[in-house]
Amino acid sequence: AQSVTQLDSQVPVFEEAPVELRCNYSSSVSVYLFWYVQYPNQGLQLLLKYLSGSTLVKGINGFEAEFNKSQTSFHLRKPSVHISDTAEYFCAVSVGLQGAQKLVFGQGTRLTINP
Amino acid sequence: NAGVTQTPKFRVLKTGQSMTLLCAQDMNHEYMYWYRQDPGMGLRLIHYSVGEGTTAKGEVPDGYNVSRLKKQNFLLGLESAAPSQTSVYFCASSYGTGQTLNTEAFFGQGTRLTVV
């Protein structure tokens, strides 16, 4: 079965510092990977997704992620974070489920930005 | 453009009470899902639907029932609430026909349920 592991449950960083949120997934023939962000008391919204092609994927709010097939990783990065990036971030892999798509989520990483 | 709307946003239930959570989407999506979110566990799929009139079990279906009588609505029912069902519930929908795995899922704002 597909699984996703987010290696850090909490990541504190200072404003304007770079950040990397780590995600590893279990191997599969075809992989579709997503990063979602959840701001406090809100639902999840898509940051970016990897379907195929270039291994470097750019998303909203200056985030990017790199798909690494050999290391089965899909780490999320931002070169300079802002207070508004404080949120919980979820990595997810898409799997087939009887004709539908199922998103299998990691445990989440809470990103806290300190001034 | 409302997207995915969940009602209610908050609810407190006593053990043994029943309730229904409503999810409505206005994007004409075929697929709809109910997830629960618990600290340190990410989101886990409860039930899902691939179209009007169809439903299926996800990873954690026990204690829940669902119905999809209309394409735009997906209801989640708790017949006899238990404290273990205290959680935040999210509804999601996505476009797709057949086995489409690369589409974005759109989420509602969540329902925070406490069972005492």
Side-chain angles (χ1 to χ4, degrees), chain B:
Chain B
N1 190 1
V4 179
T5 303
Q6 292 182 231
T7 52
K9 290 185 169 45
F10 303 94
R11 185 74 185 269
V12 178
L13 283 181
K14 293 183 178 179
T15 298
Q17 285 185 318
S18 63
M19 78 163 295
T20 300
L21 282 67
L22 172 64
C23 176
Q25 53 95 3
D26 61 2
M27 296 173 282
N28 202 35
H29 285 166
E30 289 294 332
Y31 300 162
M32 296 187 75
Y33 313 83
W34 277 106
Y35 286 88
R36 60 177 288 173
Q37 181 183 27
D38 301 292
M41 302 187 75
L43 281 76
R44 293 179 292 168
L45 184 64
I46 305 171
H47 285 282
Y48 66 100
S49 168
V50 301
E52 182 180 318
T54 70
T55 64
K57 295 179 180 180
E59 325 169 48
V60 288
D62 293 343
Y64 305 96
N65 56 74
V66 287
S67 65
R68 187 136 180 234
L69 299 179
K70 294 182 178 181
K71 185 177 183 179
Q72 63 268 35
N73 296 337
F74 195 29
L75 280 63
L76 178 70
L78 285 74
E79 290 188 348
S80 178
S84 60
Q85 294 177 303
T86 294
S87 187
V88 181
Y89 292 85
F90 285 99
C91 177
S93 70
S94 65
Y95 171 79
T97 54
Q99 194 163 5
T100 303
L101 304 181
N102 60 1
T103 55
E104 174 186 355
F106 292 82
F107 285 81
Q109 300 274 61
T111 296
R112 188 173 296 275
L113 175 67
T114 302
V115 183
V116 296

Side-chain angles (χ1 to χ4, degrees), chain A residues 62-96:
Chain A
F63 283 92
E64 63 182 30
E66 185 159 17
F67 171 64
N68 188 321
K69 187 174 182 178
S70 63
Q71 296 187 5
T72 61
S73 68
F74 190 53
H75 300 333
L76 181 71
R77 302 186 182 102
K78 186 170 182 177
S80 176
V81 295
H82 189 265
I83 290 283
S84 60
D85 293 321
T86 295
E88 189 152 19
Y89 293 78
F90 292 93
C91 182
V93 62
S94 180
V95 298

